[in-house]
C-alpha cells in the first residue's frame, strides 16, 4: 500500500458492509482502499452461516442487480438452498442459502483480491482526520495517516464491543477478535449521537455428538435454487441437509432455575436486543406456556463438524449452556465447541445520516452496516453498496444516488433508519415495505440494474444478460397479447372446465391469464399455446399480468408520494419559528431532521396539519427569498 | 400535502344567513358541476341552474365558474350559491363527494390559494393561524363524531383487523417458525365477519350524527355564584331551581338556545367544591367531564370576589387547557365596585337579576363563538368517517372475494393493509412497526 497517495475512497472494515462498499467503489473506477484488522476474516459470517430468507433475499437480489458480491459468493458457498413461501405468492417468496462459512470467506476474499482499483491493507483504524466538518482521511493503529476524498465506516459490532457469557464480561468485537475501542473513543468525542444495542449467538455443537435418528431432516429444494443473476446453478458445492431438533420441558426447567445468572435478566446488559431474535431465556420467560421451541441444526460447512443450533442464542454461563443443549432432542451427548454469548456494542443514531448514508455532521463520511443499528449480513451488504457507491460518486464529483421506498427494500430500510431511527437491531421484513407487491425478489433487476449501469456499478456481462432478459419478457408479453382464443375453438371446452365463467367472447391469451383461476401452465396445456423455453421468463410474465391491477394502483400511490418526496426541507430550517406547530412536533422534527416533506410525514406524531403548516412555511421562505 | 384532487366545502358559516355558498376547487370541479346541473358553464358567467339527483331537485341557485389560475385558489373553481339550510347543504356535499370530490380539510382552500401564489406573503401568518384554528375545530368535530357506540364499533373492527393481519403477516414473514397460524378458512371467516360489521356500522352511522354544529358553553363557578340565574335570564324561562343555599344544582342541566340565529348549548354544572354529599360529588365529577371539548368556559364569580386571580380560575377549571375562558361577575346589582381582574382572561359584569350588562354579554358571546367558514360540523366529520369506512369495506371485499387462497396471500395482505389505512384515517396511524409489535407479542418468533 502506497501511503503517500490520495485515495478516492477508504473503507474501514471488511465485513459484509465493508466488502460491498469497497467493491462498489472500485467497480465505479475509484482508487479504493479497504482497511481491515484482519485479512483472514474478510467476509466472515460471525453469526448464523446463512444468506437470504424472507425480506433479506430481496436485499441480496438488489445487491446482485447492481453487480455486487453477496449473491455470487453465496451461490459459490451455499450448501443448502430453499425457496421459502414457495406457495404463498411471488411477492413474498424468498430464497435462503445455508452457507459454508469457510467457503464463503474464501470466495469473498478471492473476489476482492481480484478486483481492480482495490487495495486491501491489514491494520486497525484509530481515528478519523476531520478538517472543518469534512473528513480527509484516517489514522491507522500504527500511527500512520492516510489521505482520502471520502471515508466509509463499517465497524459492525466492533465499536466498544463487550461480550457477556454469564456474569463474566470482556471486551471484544466478536468471539476471538478484538473490539475497536480506540476508534470508538475518538468517535465518541465527535458530536454523533451514540447508543448501545445487543445481540446474541448460540453455542456451537460438534455434529458427531448429535444423534440424528429421531430428528426431522430438512433437505434443500431440487432443482437447487440460486441467488445471482450471473449464476447457472453449476457453481454450487455439494448440498447437504439441516435437521430439526426441539427444546424440552427439561430445557425450560434448567433456564427458569438459572435465570438469575443471565446478564440480561440480572440487569448487567443495558442494551436493547432484537424482538425477533430473542435469546432462549427470553423465549422461555415471555412464552411460558409454550412447552417446546424448535431448534434448527445447521451445518457450518462441508469441511467442518460444527453445527449452528439456530434458536438457542444465550448468554447464560457455559455450565448452563451445556445443560440446555443436552436437554434438546437428539443432543443428550452433545459436545459444545464454542460457547454462546451476548454482545453489546455502540451504534450511531442513523437519523444523523442522509439518504445517501453520508453523515449530516461530517461531510464525505459515510456509515454502513451494523454501526447504523441494523442486524444481518444482507442489511449490512446492501447499505455497503449504497454507501460505497455514494462515496465513489462524491469522489468523482458526481450527483449522489438514493433509492426510493418504491424502488427497493434497500430504500425502505434506509428511509426507515434515517427518518425513524431504531430502538432495536433493525432487520428487514416484507411487512415493512408498503409496496411489497412491486418490490419482489424476482424483479430486482428490473428495478435497479439500469440505474446501476448508469452509475458504473454494473459490468458489461450482467448488462448484456439484463437487456436480453428484458427483451424476452417484452416479447413474451406481446406474444400473449397477439394470440386469440375464440369460444368456437376446439380447446375452449378444456379451458371452460377451469374457468369460473365460460369464455363468451374472443379473448387474447394475455386477457385469459389475467383471470385468477388461469395459470400460464393452463394456457400451455389447455389452450395449446407454445410454452416459453425459459421458465423464469414465463413466470415473470405471469406475475406481471396477474398483478397488473395491484401494481397499477401502487404505481399511482407512488406517483402521488413522489411530489412530497421532491419537496425538500432546507437543512437550516428553524422549526421553532414556524407558527402553529405544537412543541411536540417541533421537537420531533428537530430530532429527526427530515430531508423532505414526505419523510417528515412518516415521523410518528407529525400530523397532516403540521405538514400543511410546513408547506405554508416553505412557500413563505420562497416568497421572502424572491422579494429580497 | 400537495394534492391535485378536487375539494369541496361550504364557504359560508353554518346555520346563518339566507344564502349559502358551496365551493369546489380542483381539476374535476367543472365536470362535477356540469353533471349535477346539467348545464354548460361558461367562465365568469353566472348561470341559473338546479342541482338534480335522480329526478329530484335538491336546490336551485346560481353557478359561477372561475377558470384557474384566475380564481381564489388558483385552480378551476366552481361556486354554487344556493338557499342554504343545513340539510340541503349536507345533501349537496354528499352528492359532490359521490361524483369524485373530496371534503376539504380545514383551511385547505386558503392553503391552496397561498401555495399557488394567490395570497401574498403578508397573509402567510394568517393562513397558518387559519389552518391551526380550523384543525382545532376539526379535531373537536371528529371527536364529537367519534363517540359512544360509533367509536366502540370502529375500535372493535380495527382490533379484529389487526388480529387478522397479525396472523397473515406472521404466516408470510415467519414461515419457518412453528407458530401454527390459523388456516385460510379461518381467515375467510374473519374477513366476512369484519365486512359485515363494517357494513352494519355504515348503515347505522348514517343516522345519529347531529346535523348542525352548535356552540358548547359550560358555566362553572363556586356554589351559589349565580350560574342558574344567568342561564334563566339567557333562556328567559326558569330552568334550574334557584335558591340561596350553595349546592342546589346537583346535576348537569343543559339547554339549547338560539342566540341571534346561532345554536348554543349551555351546560350548567354543579359548582366545584368539596362535599361529602354523594349525589353532589357525582355532580361535580360530571362538571369536570363536561369541560372536555367545549368552545367556551364561563367562570362565574359573585359579589364576594372583588379581586380575581389566576389561582382562583385554575381552582375552578382544574387542569389548565387551551379552551377559551371568559370571566363573569354575576351580581353587580349587589356590589357596584369594579372587580379587580388580575388574570389574562376577559371579564364581563352582569346582573342576572336586573338584566344589566346582559346585552353586552350576549354580543361578546357571539363574537367569541363566531363559527366562521372554517368551523367543522360533526356532520361533516361523520361524513369523512363514513367515506373512510366505505373505502375500508371495498378493500375488505377485494380481500374476501377475489383472492382468498394461499397462493395469493400476498394480495390478500395488500387488501387488508389498504383497509387498515382507510380506517387509520379515522383513528390514527397504524404503522408497519405496530404490526410487527403485534406479531412479536402474539407469537414466539426467534429462529
Amino acid at each position: 500500500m502506497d501511503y503517500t497517495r490520495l485515495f478516492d475512497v477508504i473503507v474501514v472494515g471488511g465485513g459484509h458492509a465493508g466488502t460491498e462498499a469497497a467493491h462498489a467503489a472500485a467497480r465505479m473506477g475509484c482508487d479504493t482502499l479497504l482497511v481491515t484488522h484482519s485479512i483472514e476474516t474478510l467476509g466472515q459470517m460471525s453469526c448464523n452461516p446463512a444468506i437470504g430468507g424472507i425480506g433479506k433475499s430481496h436485499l441480496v437480489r438488489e445487491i446482485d442487480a447492481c453487480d455486487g458480491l453477496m449473491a455470487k459468493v453465496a451461490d459459490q458457498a451455499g450448501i443448502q438452498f430453499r425457496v421459502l413461501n414457495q406457495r404463498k405468492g411471488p411477492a413474498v417468496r424468498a430464497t435462503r442459502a445455508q452457507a459454508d462459512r469457510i467457503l464463503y470467506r474464501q470466495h469473498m476474499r478471492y473476489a476482492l483480491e481480484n478486483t481492480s482499483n482495490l487495495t486491501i491493507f491489514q491494520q486497525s483504524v484509530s481515528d478519523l482526520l476531520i478538517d472543518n466538518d469534512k473528513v480527509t482521511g484516517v489514522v491507522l493503529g500504527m500511527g500512520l495517516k492516510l489521505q482520502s476524498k471520502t471515508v466509509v465506516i463499517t465497524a459492525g459490532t466492533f465499536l466498544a464491543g463487550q461480550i457477556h457469557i454469564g456474569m463474566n464480561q470482556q471486551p471484544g468485537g466478536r468471539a476471538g477478535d478484538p473490539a475497536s475501542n480506540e476508534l470508538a473513543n475518538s468517535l465518541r468525542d465527535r458530536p454523533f449521537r451514540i447508543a448501545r444495542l445487543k445481540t446474541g449467538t448460540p453455542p456451537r455443537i460438534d455434529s458427531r455428538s448429535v444423534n440424528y435418528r429421531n430428528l426431522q431432516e430438512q433437505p434443500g429444494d431440487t432443482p437447487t435454487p440460486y441467488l445471482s443473476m450471473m449464476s447457472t446453478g453449476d457453481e454450487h458445492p455439494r448440498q447437504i441437509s439441516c435437521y430439526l431438533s426441539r427444546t424440552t420441558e427439561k430445557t425450560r426447567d434448567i433456564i427458569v432455575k438459572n435465570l438469575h445468572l443471565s446478564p440480561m435478566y440480572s440487569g448487567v446488559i443495558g442494551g436493547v436486543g432484537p424482538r425477533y431474535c430473542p435469546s432462549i431465556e427470553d423465549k422461555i420467560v415471555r412464552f411460558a406456556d409454550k412447552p417446546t421451541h424448535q431448534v434448527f441444526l445447521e451445518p457450518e460447512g462441508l469441511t467442518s463438524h460444527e453445527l449452528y443450533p439456530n434458536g438457542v442464542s444465550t448468554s447464560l454461563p457455559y455450565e448452563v449452556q451445556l445443560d440446555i443443549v443436552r436437554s434438546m432432542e437428539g443432543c443428550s451427548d452433545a459436545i459444545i465447541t464454542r460457547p454462546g454469548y451476548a454482545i453489546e456494542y455502540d451504534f450511531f443514531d442513523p437519523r444523523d445520516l442522509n439518504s445517501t448514508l453520508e453523515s449530516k455532521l461530517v461531510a464525505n463520511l459515510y456509515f454502513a452496516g451494523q454501526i447504523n443499528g441494523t442486524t444481518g449480513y444482507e442489511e449490512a451488504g446492501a447499505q455497503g453498496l449504497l454507501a460505497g457507491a455514494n462515496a465513489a460518486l462524491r469522489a468523482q464529483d458526481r450527483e449522489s444516488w438514493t433509492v426510493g421506498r418504491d424502488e427497493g427494500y434497500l430504500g425502505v430500510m434506509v428511509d426507515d433508519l434515517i427518518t425513524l431511527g431504531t430502538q432495536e437491531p433493525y432487520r428487514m421484513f416484507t411487512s415493512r415495505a408498503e409496496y411489497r407487491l412491486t418490490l419482489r425478489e424476482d424483479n430486482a433487476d428490473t428495478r435497479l440494474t439500469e440505474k446501476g449501469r448508469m452509475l458504473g456499478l454494473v459490468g458489461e456481462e450482467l448488462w448484456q444478460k439484463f437487456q436480453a432478459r428484458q427483451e424476452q419478457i417484452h416479447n413474451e408479453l406481446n406474444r400473449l397479447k397477439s394470440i386469440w382464443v375464440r369460444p368456437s375453438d376446439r380447446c375452449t371446452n378444456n379451458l371452460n372446465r377451469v374457468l369460473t365463467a365460460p369464455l363468451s367472447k374472443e379473448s387474447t391469451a394475455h386477457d385469459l391469464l389475467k383471470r385468477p383461476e388461469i395459470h400460464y401452465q393452463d394456457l400451455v396445456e389447455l389452450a395449446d399455446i407454445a410454452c416459453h423455453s425459459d421458465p423464469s421468463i414465463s413466470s415473470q410474465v405471469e406475475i406481471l399480468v396477474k398483478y397488473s391491477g395491484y401494481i397499477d394502483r401502487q404505481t399511482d400511490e407512488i406517483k402521488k408520494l413522489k411530489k412530497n418526496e421532491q419537496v425538500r426541507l432546507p437543512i437550516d430550517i428553524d422549526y421553532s419559528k414556524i407558527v402553529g406547530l405544537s412543541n411536540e412536533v417541533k421537537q420531533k422534527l428537530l430530532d429527526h431532521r427530515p430531508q423532505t416533506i414526505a419523510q417528515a410525514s412518516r415521523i410518528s406524531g407529525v400530523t397532516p396539519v403540521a405538514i400543511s403548516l410546513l408547506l405554508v412555511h416553505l412557500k413563505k421562505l420562497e416568497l421572502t427569498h424572491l422579494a429580497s | 400535502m400537495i394534492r391535485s384532487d378536487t375539494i369541496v366545502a361550504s364557504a359560508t358559516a353554518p346555520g346563518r344567513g339566507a344564502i349559502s355558498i358551496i365551493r369546489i376547487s380542483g381539476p374535476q370541479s367543472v365536470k362535477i358541476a356540469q353533471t349535477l346541473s346539467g348545464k354548460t358553464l361558461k367562465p365568469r358567467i353566472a348561470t341559473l341552474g338546479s342541482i338534480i339527483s335522480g329526478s329530484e331537485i335538491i336546490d336551485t341557485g346560481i353557478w359561477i365558474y372561475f377558470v384557474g389560475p384566475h380564481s381564489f385558489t388558483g385552480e378551476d373553481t366552481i361556486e354554487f350559491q344556493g338557499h342554504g339550510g343545513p340539510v340541503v347543504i349536507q345533501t349537496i356535499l354528499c352528492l359532490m363527494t359521490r361524483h369524485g370530490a373530496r371534503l376539504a380539510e380545514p383551511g385547505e382552500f386558503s392553503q391552496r390559494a397561498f401555495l399557488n401564489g394567490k395570497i401574498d406573503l403578508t397573509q402567510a401568518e394568517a393562513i397558518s393561524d387559519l389552518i391551526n384554528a380550523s384543525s382545532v375545530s376539526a379535531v373537536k368535530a371528529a371527536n364529537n363524531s367519534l363517540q359512544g357506540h360509533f367509536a366502540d364499533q370502529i375500535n372493535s373492527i380495527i382490533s379484529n383487523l389487526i388480529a387478522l393481519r397479525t396472523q397473515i403477516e406472521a404466516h408470510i414473514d415467519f414461515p419457518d417458525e412453528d407458530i401454527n397460524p390459523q388456516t385460510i378458512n379461518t381467515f375467510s371467516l374473519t374477513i366476512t365477519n369484519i365486512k359485515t360489521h363494517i357494513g352494519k356500522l355504515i348503515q347505522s352511522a348514517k343516522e345519529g350524527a347531529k346535523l348542525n354544529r352548535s356552540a358548547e358553553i359550560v358555566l362553572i363557578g363556586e356554589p351559589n355564584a349565580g350560574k342558574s340565574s344567568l342561564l334563566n335570564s339567557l333562556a328567559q324561562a326558569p330552568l334550574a331551581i334557584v335558591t340561596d343555599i350553595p349546592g342546589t344544582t346537583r346535576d348537569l342541566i343543559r339547554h339549547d338556545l338560539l342566540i341571534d340565529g346561532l345554536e348554543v348549548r349551555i351546560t350548567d354544572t354543579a359548582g366545584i367544591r368539596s362535599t361529602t354529599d354523594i349525589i353532589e360529588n357525582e355532580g361535580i365529577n360530571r362538571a369536570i367531564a363536561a369541560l372536555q371539548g367545549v368552545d367556551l368556559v364561563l367562570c362565574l364569580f359573585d359579589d364576594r370576589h372583588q379581586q380575581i386571580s389566576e389561582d382562583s380560575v385554575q381552582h375552578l377549571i382544574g387542569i389548565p387547557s387551551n379552551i377559551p375562558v371568559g370571566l363573569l361577575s354575576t351580581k353587580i346589582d349587589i356590589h357596584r365596585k369594579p372587580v379587580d381582574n388580575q388574570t389574562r382572561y376577559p371579564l364581563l359584569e352582569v346582573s342576572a337579576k336586573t338584566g344589566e350588562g346582559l346585552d353586552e354579554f350576549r354580543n361578546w358571546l357571539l363574537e367569541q363563538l363566531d363559527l366562521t367558514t372554517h368551523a367543522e360540523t360533526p356532520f361533516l366529520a361523520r361524513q369523512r368517517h363514513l367515506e373512510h369506512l366505505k373505502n375500508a369495506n371495498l378493500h375488505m371485499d377485494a380481500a374476501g372475494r377475489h383472492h382468498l387462497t394461499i397462493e395469493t396471500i400476498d394480495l390478500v395482505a395488500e387488501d387488508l393493509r389498504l383497509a387498515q389505512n382507510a380506517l387509520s384515517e379515522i383513528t390514527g396511524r397504524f404503522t408497519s412497526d405496530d404490526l410487527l409489535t403485534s406479531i412479536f407479542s402474539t407469537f414466539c418468533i426467534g429462529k
Side-chain angles (χ1 to χ4, degrees), chain B residues 161-221:
Chain B
L161 182 59
I162 290 173
L164 175 65
R165 291 189 67 208
T166 300
Q167 292 283 338
I168 290 186
E169 294 290 338
H171 208 84
I172 288 173
D173 263 339
F174 305 100
D176 265 358
E177 305 283 347
D178 55 346
I179 51 181
N180 205 4
Q182 297 161 353
T183 61
I184 211 85
N185 282 340
T186 331
F187 294 158
S188 177
L189 207 67
T190 315
I191 289 175
T192 313
N193 282 342
I194 296 176
K195 247 171 50 189
T196 320
H197 204 153
I198 296 180
K200 274 193 194 150
L201 185 58
I202 291 175
Q203 270 311 313
S204 68
K206 280 180 183 162
E207 298 111 39
K210 210 160 38 131
L211 281 185
N212 219 342
R213 178 181 189 280
S214 57
E216 303 231 9
I217 298 172
V218 165
L219 301 185
I220 196 158

Side-chain angles (χ1 to χ4, degrees), chain A residues 581-594:
Chain A
L581 285 187
S582 71
N583 286 334
E584 188 205 346
V585 169
K586 280 180 188 166
Q587 194 53 49
K588 290 221 154 130
L589 291 168
L590 274 174
D591 282 349
H592 290 78
R593 279 174 277 195

